[in-house]
Coordinates of all heavy atoms in Angstrom, one line a residue:
M132 N 111.2 99.3 106.8 CA 110.6 99.0 105.5 C 109.3 99.8 105.4 O 108.5 99.8 106.2 CB 110.3 97.5 105.3 CG 109.7 97.2 104.0 SD 109.1 95.5 103.8 CE 110.5 94.6 104.2
T133 N 109.2 100.5 104.3 CA 108.0 101.3 104.0 C 107.0 100.5 103.3 O 107.3 99.4 102.8 CB 108.3 102.5 103.2 OG1 108.8 102.1 101.9 CG2 109.3 103.5 103.9
K134 N 105.8 101.0 103.2 CA 104.7 100.2 102.4 C 105.1 100.0 101.0 O 105.0 98.9 100.5 CB 103.4 101.0 102.5 CG 102.2 100.2 101.8 CD 100.9 100.9 102.1 CE 100.7 102.1 101.4 NZ 99.3 102.6 101.5
S135 N 105.7 101.0 100.4 CA 106.1 100.9 99.0 C 107.3 99.9 98.8 O 107.3 99.1 97.8 CB 106.5 102.2 98.3 OG 107.5 102.9 99.1
D136 N 108.2 99.8 99.8 CA 109.2 98.8 99.8 C 108.6 97.4 99.9 O 109.1 96.4 99.2 CB 110.2 99.0 101.0 CG 111.1 100.2 100.9 OD1 111.2 100.7 99.8 OD2 111.5 100.7 101.9
F137 N 107.6 97.2 100.8 CA 107.0 96.0 101.0 C 106.3 95.6 99.7 O 106.4 94.4 99.3 CB 105.9 96.1 102.2 CG 105.2 94.9 102.4 CD1 105.8 93.8 103.0 CD2 103.8 94.8 102.2 CE1 105.1 92.6 103.3 CE2 103.1 93.7 102.5 CZ 103.8 92.5 103.0
V138 N 105.6 96.4 99.1 CA 104.9 96.1 97.8 C 105.9 95.7 96.7 O 105.8 94.8 96.0 CB 104.0 97.3 97.3 CG1 103.5 97.1 95.9 CG2 102.8 97.5 98.3
E139 N 107.0 96.5 96.7 CA 108.0 96.2 95.7 C 108.6 94.8 95.9 O 108.9 94.0 94.9 CB 109.2 97.2 95.8 CG 110.1 97.3 94.7 CD 111.1 98.5 94.9 OE1 110.6 99.6 94.9 OE2 112.3 98.2 94.9
R140 N 108.9 94.4 97.1 CA 109.4 93.0 97.4 C 108.4 92.0 97.0 O 108.7 90.9 96.6 CB 109.8 92.9 98.8 CG 111.0 93.7 99.2 CD 111.4 93.6 100.6 NE 112.6 94.4 100.9 CZ 113.3 94.3 102.0 NH1 113.0 93.4 102.9 NH2 114.3 95.1 102.2
L141 N 107.1 92.2 97.3 CA 106.0 91.3 96.9 C 106.0 91.1 95.4 O 105.8 90.0 94.9 CB 104.7 91.7 97.4 CG 104.4 91.5 98.9 CD1 103.1 92.1 99.3 CD2 104.4 90.0 99.2
V142 N 106.1 92.2 94.7 CA 106.1 92.2 93.2 C 107.2 91.3 92.7 O 107.0 90.5 91.8 CB 106.2 93.6 92.6 CG1 106.5 93.7 91.2 CG2 104.9 94.4 92.9
K143 N 108.4 91.5 93.3 CA 109.6 90.7 92.9 C 109.3 89.2 93.1 O 109.7 88.3 92.3 CB 110.8 91.1 93.6 CG 111.4 92.5 93.0 CD 112.6 92.8 93.8 CE 113.1 94.2 93.3 NZ 114.2 94.7 94.1
R144 N 108.7 88.8 94.3 CA 108.5 87.4 94.6 C 107.3 86.9 93.8 O 107.3 85.7 93.5 CB 108.1 87.3 96.1 CG 109.3 87.3 96.9 CD 108.9 86.9 98.3 NE 110.1 86.8 99.1 CZ 110.2 86.0 100.2 NH1 109.1 85.4 100.7 NH2 111.3 86.0 100.9
L145 N 106.3 87.6 93.4 CA 105.2 87.2 92.7 C 105.2 87.8 91.3 O 104.3 88.5 90.9 CB 103.9 87.6 93.4 CG 103.7 87.2 94.9 CD1 102.6 87.9 95.5 CD2 103.6 85.7 95.0
D146 N 106.3 87.5 90.5 CA 106.6 88.2 89.3 C 105.5 88.0 88.2 O 105.4 88.8 87.3 CB 107.9 87.7 88.7 CG 108.0 86.2 88.6 OD1 107.1 85.5 89.0 OD2 109.1 85.8 88.0
S147 N 104.6 87.0 88.3 CA 103.6 86.8 87.3 C 102.3 87.6 87.7 O 101.3 87.6 87.0 CB 103.2 85.4 87.2 OG 102.7 84.9 88.4
T148 N 102.3 88.4 88.8 CA 101.1 89.1 89.2 C 101.3 90.6 88.9 O 102.4 91.1 89.0 CB 100.9 88.9 90.7 OG1 100.9 87.5 91.0 CG2 99.6 89.5 91.2
D149 N 100.2 91.2 88.6 CA 100.2 92.6 88.2 C 100.6 93.5 89.4 O 100.0 93.4 90.5 CB 98.8 93.0 87.8 CG 98.7 94.5 87.4 OD1 99.6 95.1 86.9 OD2 97.5 95.1 87.6
P150 N 101.6 94.3 89.3 CA 102.1 95.1 90.4 C 101.0 96.1 91.0 O 100.9 96.3 92.2 CB 103.3 96.0 89.8 CG 103.7 95.2 88.6 CD 102.5 94.5 88.1
E151 N 100.1 96.6 90.1 CA 99.1 97.5 90.6 C 98.1 96.8 91.5 O 97.5 97.3 92.4 CB 98.4 98.1 89.4 CG 99.1 99.2 88.7 CD 99.5 100.3 89.6 OE1 98.7 100.8 90.4 OE2 100.7 100.7 89.6
M152 N 97.8 95.5 91.1 CA 96.9 94.7 91.9 C 97.5 94.4 93.3 O 96.8 94.5 94.3 CB 96.6 93.3 91.2 CG 95.5 92.5 91.8 SD 95.0 91.1 90.8 CE 96.3 90.0 91.3
I153 N 98.8 94.1 93.3 CA 99.4 93.8 94.6 C 99.4 95.1 95.5 O 99.0 95.0 96.7 CB 100.9 93.4 94.4 CG1 100.9 92.0 93.7 CG2 101.7 93.4 95.8 CD1 102.3 91.5 93.4
H154 N 99.7 96.2 94.9 CA 99.6 97.5 95.6 C 98.2 97.7 96.1 O 98.0 98.1 97.3 CB 100.0 98.7 94.7 CG 100.0 100.0 95.4 ND1 98.9 100.8 95.5 CD2 101.0 100.6 96.1 CE1 99.2 101.8 96.2 NE2 100.5 101.8 96.6
E155 N 97.2 97.5 95.3 CA 95.8 97.7 95.8 C 95.4 96.7 96.9 O 94.7 97.1 97.9 CB 94.8 97.5 94.6 CG 93.4 97.8 94.9 CD 93.1 99.3 95.3 OE1 93.9 100.2 94.8 OE2 92.2 99.5 96.0
I156 N 95.8 95.5 96.8 CA 95.5 94.5 97.9 C 96.2 94.9 99.2 O 95.5 94.9 100.2 CB 96.0 93.1 97.4 CG1 95.1 92.6 96.3 CG2 96.0 92.2 98.6 CD1 95.7 91.3 95.6
V157 N 97.4 95.3 99.2 CA 98.1 95.7 100.4 C 97.4 96.9 101.0 O 97.2 97.0 102.2 CB 99.6 96.0 100.1 CG1 100.3 96.7 101.3 CG2 100.3 94.7 99.8
K158 N 97.1 97.9 100.1 CA 96.4 99.1 100.6 C 95.1 98.8 101.3 O 94.7 99.2 102.4 CB 96.1 100.0 99.4 CG 95.5 101.4 99.7 CD 95.4 102.3 98.5 CE 94.0 102.3 98.2 NZ 93.7 103.2 97.0
R159 N 94.3 97.8 100.7 CA 93.0 97.5 101.2 C 93.1 96.7 102.5 O 92.3 96.9 103.4 CB 92.2 96.7 100.2 CG 91.6 97.5 99.1 CD 90.8 96.7 98.2 NE 90.3 97.5 97.1 CZ 89.2 97.3 96.4 NH1 88.5 96.3 96.7 NH2 88.9 98.1 95.4
I160 N 94.1 95.8 102.6 CA 94.4 95.1 103.9 C 94.7 96.1 105.0 O 94.1 96.0 106.1 CB 95.5 94.0 103.7 CG1 95.0 92.9 102.8 CG2 95.9 93.5 105.1 CD1 96.1 91.9 102.4
L161 N 95.6 97.0 104.8 CA 95.9 98.0 105.8 C 94.7 98.9 106.1 O 94.6 99.2 107.3 CB 97.1 98.8 105.3 CG 98.4 98.0 105.2 CD1 99.5 98.8 104.6 CD2 98.8 97.3 106.5
Q162 N 94.0 99.3 105.2 CA 92.8 100.1 105.5 C 91.8 99.3 106.3 O 91.3 99.9 107.3 CB 92.1 100.5 104.1 CG 92.7 101.6 103.5 CD 91.9 101.9 102.1 OE1 91.3 101.1 101.6 NE2 92.1 103.1 101.6
Y163 N 91.6 98.0 106.0 CA 90.6 97.2 106.8 C 91.1 97.0 108.2 O 90.4 97.2 109.1 CB 90.5 95.8 106.1 CG 89.5 95.0 106.8 CD1 88.1 95.2 106.6 CD2 89.9 93.9 107.6 CE1 87.2 94.4 107.3 CE2 89.0 93.1 108.2 CZ 87.6 93.4 108.0 OH 86.7 92.5 108.7
M164 N 92.4 96.8 108.4 CA 93.0 96.7 109.7 C 92.8 98.0 110.5 O 92.4 98.0 111.7 CB 94.5 96.3 109.6 CG 94.7 94.9 109.1 SD 96.5 94.5 108.9 CE 97.0 94.4 110.7
S165 N 93.0 99.1 109.8 CA 92.9 100.4 110.5 C 91.5 100.6 110.9 O 91.2 101.1 112.1 CB 93.3 101.5 109.6 OG 94.7 101.4 109.3
E166 N 90.5 100.3 110.1 CA 89.1 100.5 110.4 C 88.7 99.6 111.6 O 88.1 100.1 112.5 CB 88.2 100.1 109.2 CG 88.2 101.0 108.0 CD 87.5 100.5 106.8 OE1 86.8 99.4 106.9 OE2 87.8 101.0 105.7
K167 N 89.1 98.4 111.6 CA 88.7 97.4 112.6 C 89.3 97.9 114.0 O 88.7 97.8 115.0 CB 89.1 96.0 112.3 CG 88.3 95.5 111.2 CD 86.8 95.5 111.5 CE 85.9 95.5 110.3 NZ 84.5 95.8 110.7
L168 N 90.6 98.3 113.9 CA 91.2 98.8 115.2 C 90.5 100.0 115.7 O 90.3 100.2 116.9 CB 92.7 99.0 114.9 CG 93.6 97.8 114.9 CD1 94.9 98.1 114.3 CD2 93.6 97.1 116.2
S169 N 90.2 101.0 114.8 CA 89.5 102.2 115.2 C 88.1 101.9 115.8 O 87.5 102.7 116.6 CB 89.4 103.2 114.1 OG 88.5 102.7 113.1
E170 N 87.5 100.8 115.4 CA 86.2 100.3 116.0 C 86.5 99.6 117.3 O 85.5 99.1 117.9 CB 85.5 99.5 115.0 CG 85.0 100.2 113.7 CD 84.5 99.3 112.6 OE1 84.5 98.1 112.8 OE2 84.3 99.8 111.6
G171 N 87.7 99.4 117.8 CA 88.0 98.7 119.0 C 88.2 97.2 118.9 O 88.3 96.5 119.9
E172 N 88.2 96.7 117.7 CA 88.4 95.2 117.5 C 89.9 94.9 117.6 O 90.7 95.7 117.4 CB 87.8 94.8 116.2 CG 86.3 94.9 116.1 CD 85.8 94.2 114.9 OE1 86.4 93.2 114.4 OE2 84.7 94.7 114.4
R173 N 90.1 93.6 118.0 CA 91.4 93.1 118.1 C 91.7 92.3 116.8 O 90.8 91.6 116.3 CB 91.5 92.1 119.3 CG 92.8 91.5 119.5 CD 92.6 90.6 120.8 NE 93.9 90.0 121.1 CZ 94.2 88.8 120.7 NH1 93.4 88.1 120.0 NH2 95.4 88.3 121.0
I174 N 92.9 92.4 116.3 CA 93.3 91.6 115.1 C 94.4 90.7 115.5 O 95.4 91.0 116.0 CB 93.8 92.6 114.0 CG1 92.7 93.6 113.6 CG2 94.3 91.8 112.8 CD1 93.2 94.7 112.7
E175 N 94.2 89.4 115.1 CA 95.2 88.4 115.4 C 95.6 87.7 114.0 O 94.7 87.2 113.3 CB 94.7 87.3 116.4 CG 95.7 86.2 116.7 CD 95.2 85.2 117.6 OE1 94.3 85.6 118.5 OE2 95.6 84.1 117.5
I176 N 96.9 87.7 113.8 CA 97.5 87.1 112.6 C 98.3 86.0 113.1 O 99.4 86.3 113.6 CB 98.1 88.1 111.7 CG1 97.2 89.2 111.3 CG2 98.7 87.3 110.4 CD1 97.8 90.3 110.5
R177 N 97.9 84.7 113.0 CA 98.7 83.6 113.5 C 100.1 83.6 112.9 O 100.3 83.9 111.7 CB 98.0 82.3 113.2 CG 96.6 82.1 113.8 CD 96.7 81.9 115.2 NE 95.5 82.0 115.9 CZ 94.9 81.1 116.6 NH1 95.5 80.0 116.9 NH2 93.7 81.4 117.1
G178 N 101.1 83.4 113.7 CA 102.5 83.4 113.3 C 103.1 84.7 113.3 O 104.3 84.9 113.3
L179 N 102.3 85.8 113.3 CA 102.8 87.2 113.3 C 102.6 87.8 114.6 O 103.6 88.2 115.4 CB 102.2 88.0 112.2 CG 102.7 89.5 112.2 CD1 104.1 89.6 111.7 CD2 101.8 90.3 111.2
G180 N 101.3 87.9 115.1 CA 101.0 88.5 116.4 C 99.7 89.1 116.4 O 98.9 88.9 115.5
S181 N 99.4 89.9 117.4 CA 98.1 90.5 117.5 C 98.2 92.0 117.8 O 99.1 92.5 118.4 CB 97.2 89.8 118.7 OG 97.9 90.0 119.9
F182 N 97.2 92.7 117.2 CA 97.1 94.2 117.4 C 95.9 94.4 118.2 O 94.8 93.9 117.9 CB 97.0 94.8 116.0 CG 98.1 94.6 115.1 CD1 98.1 93.5 114.2 CD2 99.1 95.5 115.0 CE1 99.2 93.3 113.3 CE2 100.2 95.3 114.1 CZ 100.2 94.2 113.3
S183 N 96.0 95.3 119.1 CA 94.8 95.7 120.0 C 95.1 97.1 120.5 O 96.1 97.7 120.3 CB 94.7 94.7 121.1 OG 95.8 94.7 122.0
L184 N 94.0 97.6 121.1 CA 94.1 99.0 121.7 C 94.2 98.9 123.2 O 93.6 98.0 123.8 CB 92.9 99.8 121.3 CG 92.6 100.1 119.8 CD1 91.3 100.9 119.7 CD2 93.8 100.9 119.3
R185 N 95.0 99.7 123.8 CA 95.1 99.8 125.3 C 94.8 101.2 125.7 O 95.1 102.2 125.1 CB 96.6 99.5 125.6 CG 97.1 98.1 125.3 CD 97.2 97.4 126.6 NE 97.4 95.9 126.3 CZ 98.5 95.3 126.6 NH1 99.5 95.9 127.2 NH2 98.7 94.0 126.4
Y186 N 94.0 101.3 126.8 CA 93.6 102.5 127.3 C 94.7 103.1 128.2 O 95.2 102.4 129.1 CB 92.3 102.3 128.1 CG 91.8 103.6 128.8 CD1 91.2 104.6 128.0 CD2 91.9 103.8 130.2 CE1 90.7 105.7 128.6 CE2 91.4 104.9 130.7 CZ 90.8 105.9 130.0 OH 90.4 107.1 130.5
R187 N 94.9 104.4 128.0 CA 95.9 105.1 128.9 C 95.1 106.1 129.7 O 94.4 107.0 129.1 CB 97.0 105.8 128.1 CG 97.8 104.9 127.2 CD 99.0 104.5 128.1 NE 100.0 103.8 127.3 CZ 100.4 102.6 127.5 NH1 99.9 101.9 128.5 NH2 101.3 102.0 126.7
R188 N 95.2 106.1 131.0 CA 94.5 107.0 131.9 C 95.0 108.4 131.7 O 96.2 108.6 131.4 CB 94.6 106.6 133.3 CG 94.0 105.2 133.7 CD 94.1 105.0 135.1 NE 95.3 105.5 135.8 CZ 96.3 104.8 136.3 NH1 96.3 103.5 136.2 NH2 97.3 105.4 136.8
P189 N 94.2 109.4 132.1 CA 94.7 110.8 132.1 C 95.8 110.9 133.2 O 95.7 110.2 134.2 CB 93.5 111.7 132.4 CG 92.5 110.7 133.0 CD 92.8 109.4 132.4
R190 N 96.8 111.7 133.0 CA 97.9 111.8 134.0 C 98.5 113.2 133.9 O 98.3 113.9 133.0 CB 98.9 110.7 133.8 CG 99.6 110.8 132.4 CD 100.5 109.6 132.1 NE 100.9 109.6 130.8 CZ 102.0 110.1 130.3 NH1 102.8 110.8 131.1 NH2 102.4 110.1 129.1
T191 N 99.3 113.4 134.9 CA 100.1 114.6 134.9 C 101.6 114.3 134.5 O 102.1 113.3 135.0 CB 100.2 115.2 136.3 OG1 98.8 115.5 136.7 CG2 100.9 116.6 136.3
A192 N 102.1 115.0 133.6 CA 103.4 114.6 133.0 C 104.4 115.8 133.2 O 104.0 116.8 133.6 CB 103.4 114.2 131.6
R193 N 105.6 115.6 132.8 CA 106.6 116.6 132.8 C 107.1 117.0 131.4 O 107.3 116.1 130.6 CB 107.9 116.2 133.6 CG 108.9 117.2 133.8 CD 110.1 116.6 134.6 NE 110.8 115.6 133.8 CZ 111.8 116.0 132.8 NH1 112.1 117.2 132.6 NH2 112.4 115.0 132.2
N194 N 107.1 118.3 131.2 CA 107.6 118.8 129.9 C 109.1 118.7 129.9 O 109.8 119.4 130.7 CB 107.1 120.3 129.7 CG 107.5 120.8 128.3 OD1 108.5 120.3 127.7 ND2 106.8 121.8 127.8
P195 N 109.7 117.9 129.0 CA 111.2 117.7 129.1 C 112.0 118.9 128.7 O 113.1 119.2 129.1 CB 111.5 116.6 128.1 CG 110.3 116.5 127.3 CD 109.1 117.0 128.0
K196 N 111.3 119.8 127.9 CA 112.0 121.0 127.4 C 112.1 122.1 128.5 O 113.1 122.7 128.7 CB 111.2 121.6 126.2 CG 112.0 122.6 125.4 CD 111.3 123.0 124.1 CE 112.1 123.9 123.3 NZ 111.5 124.2 122.0
T197 N 111.0 122.3 129.2 CA 110.9 123.4 130.2 C 111.1 122.9 131.6 O 111.4 123.6 132.5 CB 109.6 124.1 130.2 OG1 108.5 123.2 130.5 CG2 109.4 124.7 128.8
G198 N 110.9 121.6 131.8 CA 111.0 121.0 133.2 C 109.7 121.2 134.0 O 109.6 120.7 135.1
D199 N 108.7 121.8 133.4 CA 107.4 122.0 134.1 C 106.7 120.6 134.3 O 106.5 119.8 133.4 CB 106.5 122.9 133.3 CG 105.2 123.1 133.9 OD1 105.0 123.0 135.1 OD2 104.2 123.4 133.1
S200 N 106.3 120.3 135.6 CA 105.8 119.0 135.8 C 104.3 119.1 136.0 O 103.7 118.1 136.4 CB 106.4 118.5 137.2 OG 106.1 119.3 138.2
G201 N 103.6 120.1 135.6 CA 102.2 120.3 135.7 C 101.5 120.1 134.4 O 100.4 120.6 134.2
V202 N 102.0 119.4 133.4 CA 101.4 119.2 132.1 C 100.3 118.1 132.2 O 100.6 117.0 132.6 CB 102.4 118.9 131.0 CG1 101.8 118.7 129.7 CG2 103.5 119.9 131.0
K203 N 99.1 118.5 131.8 CA 98.0 117.5 131.9 C 98.0 116.7 130.5 O 98.0 117.4 129.5 CB 96.7 118.2 132.1 CG 96.6 119.0 133.3 CD 96.1 118.2 134.5 CE 95.8 119.1 135.6 NZ 96.0 118.5 136.9
V204 N 98.0 115.4 130.6 CA 97.9 114.5 129.5 C 96.5 113.9 129.5 O 96.2 113.3 130.5 CB 99.0 113.5 129.4 CG1 98.8 112.6 128.2 CG2 100.4 114.1 129.4
K205 N 95.7 114.0 128.4 CA 94.4 113.5 128.3 C 94.5 112.0 128.2 O 95.5 111.4 127.8 CB 93.6 114.1 127.2 CG 93.3 115.5 127.3 CD 92.6 116.1 126.1 CE 92.3 117.5 126.2 NZ 91.6 118.0 125.0
S206 N 93.3 111.3 128.6 CA 93.3 109.9 128.4 C 93.2 109.6 126.8 O 92.8 110.4 126.0 CB 92.0 109.3 129.0 OG 90.9 109.8 128.4
K207 N 93.7 108.4 126.5 CA 93.8 108.1 125.1 C 93.9 106.5 124.9 O 94.2 105.8 125.9 CB 94.9 108.8 124.3 CG 96.3 108.4 124.9 CD 97.4 109.2 124.2 CE 98.7 109.0 124.8 NZ 99.7 109.8 124.2
Y208 N 93.7 106.1 123.7 CA 93.9 104.8 123.4 C 95.2 104.6 122.6 O 95.4 105.5 121.7 CB 92.7 104.1 122.5 CG 91.5 103.8 123.4 CD1 90.6 104.8 123.6 CD2 91.4 102.6 124.1 CE1 89.5 104.5 124.4 CE2 90.3 102.4 124.9 CZ 89.4 103.3 125.0 OH 88.3 103.1 125.8
V209 N 96.0 103.7 122.8 CA 97.3 103.5 122.0 C 97.3 102.1 121.5 O 96.7 101.2 122.0 CB 98.6 103.7 122.9 CG1 98.6 105.2 123.4 CG2 98.5 102.8 124.1
L210 N 97.9 102.0 120.3 CA 98.0 100.7 119.6 C 99.0 99.9 120.3 O 100.1 100.3 120.7 CB 98.4 100.9 118.2 CG 98.5 99.7 117.3 CD1 97.1 99.0 117.2 CD2 99.0 100.1 115.9
H211 N 98.7 98.6 120.5 CA 99.6 97.6 121.1 C 99.8 96.4 120.2 O 98.8 95.9 119.7 CB 99.1 97.2 122.5 CG 99.9 96.1 123.1 ND1 101.1 96.4 123.7 CD2 99.7 94.8 123.2 CE1 101.6 95.3 124.2 NE2 100.8 94.3 123.9
F212 N 101.0 96.1 120.0 CA 101.4 94.9 119.2 C 102.0 93.9 120.0 O 103.0 94.1 120.7 CB 102.3 95.2 118.0 CG 102.7 94.0 117.2 CD1 101.8 93.3 116.4 CD2 103.9 93.5 117.3 CE1 102.2 92.2 115.7 CE2 104.4 92.4 116.6 CZ 103.5 91.7 115.8
K213 N 101.5 92.6 120.1 CA 102.1 91.5 120.8 C 102.5 90.5 119.8 O 101.7 89.9 119.1 CB 101.1 90.9 121.8 CG 101.7 89.8 122.6 CD 100.7 89.2 123.6 CE 101.4 88.1 124.3 NZ 100.4 87.4 125.2
P214 N 103.8 90.3 119.7 CA 104.3 89.3 118.6 C 104.0 87.9 119.0 O 103.9 87.5 120.2 CB 105.8 89.5 118.6 CG 106.1 90.2 119.9 CD 104.9 90.9 120.3
G215 N 103.7 87.1 118.0 CA 103.4 85.7 118.2 C 104.7 84.9 118.4 O 105.8 85.4 118.2
K216 N 104.5 83.7 118.9 CA 105.7 82.8 119.3 C 106.6 82.6 118.1 O 107.8 82.7 118.2 CB 105.2 81.5 119.8 CG 106.3 80.6 120.3 CD 105.8 79.3 120.9 CE 106.9 78.4 121.4 NZ 108.2 78.5 120.8
K217 N 106.1 82.3 116.9 CA 106.9 82.1 115.7 C 107.7 83.3 115.4 O 108.9 83.2 115.1 CB 106.1 81.7 114.5 CG 105.5 80.3 114.5 CD 104.8 80.1 113.2 CE 104.1 78.7 113.3 NZ 103.4 78.4 112.1
L218 N 107.2 84.5 115.5 CA 107.9 85.8 115.2 C 109.0 86.0 116.3 O 110.1 86.3 116.0 CB 107.0 86.9 115.1 CG 107.6 88.3 114.8 CD1 108.4 88.3 113.5 CD2 106.5 89.4 114.8
R219 N 108.6 85.8 117.5 CA 109.6 86.0 118.6 C 110.8 85.1 118.4 O 111.9 85.4 118.6 CB 108.9 85.7 120.0 CG 108.1 86.8 120.5 CD 107.8 86.7 122.0 NE 107.4 85.3 122.4 CZ 106.2 84.9 122.4 NH1 105.1 85.7 122.1 NH2 105.9 83.7 122.8
D220 N 110.5 83.8 118.1 CA 111.6 82.8 117.9 C 112.4 83.2 116.8 O 113.7 83.1 116.8 CB 111.0 81.4 117.7 CG 110.3 80.8 118.9 OD1 110.5 81.4 120.1 OD2 109.6 79.8 118.8
R221 N 111.8 83.7 115.7 CA 112.6 84.0 114.5 C 113.5 85.3 114.8 O 114.6 85.3 114.3 CB 111.6 84.3 113.4 CG 112.2 84.3 112.0 CD 111.1 84.1 111.0 NE 111.8 83.8 109.7 CZ 111.2 83.8 108.6 NH1 109.9 84.0 108.5 NH2 111.9 83.5 107.5
V222 N 112.9 86.2 115.5 CA 113.7 87.4 115.8 C 114.8 87.1 116.8 O 115.9 87.7 116.6 CB 112.7 88.5 116.3 CG1 113.5 89.7 116.9 CG2 111.8 89.0 115.3
N223 N 114.6 86.2 117.7 CA 115.6 85.9 118.7 C 116.8 85.1 118.1 O 117.8 84.9 118.8 CB 115.0 85.2 119.9 CG 114.3 86.1 120.7 OD1 114.6 87.3 120.9 ND2 113.2 85.6 121.4
V224 N 116.7 84.7 116.9 CA 117.9 84.0 116.2 C 119.1 85.0 116.1 O 120.2 84.6 116.2 CB 117.4 83.5 114.9 CG1 118.6 83.0 114.1 CG2 116.5 82.4 115.0
Y225 N 118.8 86.3 115.9 CA 119.8 87.2 115.7 C 120.5 87.8 116.9 O 121.4 88.6 116.8 CB 119.2 88.4 114.9 CG 118.7 88.0 113.5 CD1 117.3 87.9 113.3 CD2 119.6 87.6 112.5 CE1 116.9 87.5 112.1 CE2 119.1 87.1 111.3 CZ 117.7 87.1 111.1 OH 117.3 86.7 109.9
K226 N 120.2 87.3 118.1 CA 120.8 87.7 119.3 C 122.2 87.2 119.4 O 122.6 86.2 119.0 CB 120.0 87.3 120.5 CG 119.0 88.3 120.8 CD 118.4 87.9 122.2 CE 117.7 89.2 122.8 NZ 117.2 88.9 124.1

């Protein structure tokens, strides 16, 4: 689902609310989350899960195209999402 799909579904559910206002609210929430994550903060949304950054050490990797195993990968931070119990339980219904 894309952001515009998400907004469209919210507009259908909240039919008495201005679609432009819903779009702006979703945009601002996502911007705020991005800002806080880039500042190194952790975000927890009860029932959904938590977003945090994980540090990846520098390492030597292999280029899958050429087979060269001397490729240096710099250290970096990667986004990590840990689903909450309610979300895990809900998703596991479809197994």
Side-chain angles (χ1 to χ4, degrees):
M132 175 187 310
T133 64
K134 182 170 72 169
S135 53
D136 293 337
F137 181 67
V138 169
E139 198 173 298
R140 289 181 185 192
L141 282 175
V142 168
K143 286 179 183 175
R144 282 191 171 199
L145 307 169
D146 56 354
S147 63
T148 309
D149 178 33
E151 288 300 316
M152 186 170 86
I153 293 174
H154 182 269
E155 187 63 28
I156 290 169
V157 169
K158 184 175 107 181
R159 286 186 184 203
I160 289 170
L161 294 175
Q162 280 177 338
Y163 183 76
M164 289 175 70
S165 296
E166 286 171 16
K167 293 301 158 189
L168 285 166
S169 69
E170 293 169 4
E172 290 190 33
R173 180 176 180 269
I174 298 172
E175 182 178 329
I176 302 172
R177 300 285 167 126
L179 179 67
S181 62
F182 299 86
S183 60
L184 295 177
R185 294 256 171 110
Y186 178 74
R187 297 271 191 239
R188 299 185 326 248
R190 60 189 171 89
T191 304
R193 184 181 68 83
N194 183 335
K196 191 171 188 178
T197 65
D199 179 24
S200 61
V202 179
K203 304 267 186 210
V204 178
K205 295 179 181 179
S206 64
K207 61 183 173 181
Y208 285 92
V209 294
L210 183 63
H211 176 74
F212 174 72
K213 181 179 178 185
K216 184 178 181 331
K217 285 183 184 178
L218 180 59
R219 279 194 319 266
D220 292 345
R221 198 164 193 187
V222 169
N223 284 328
V224 169
Y225 298 109
K226 274 191 157 182

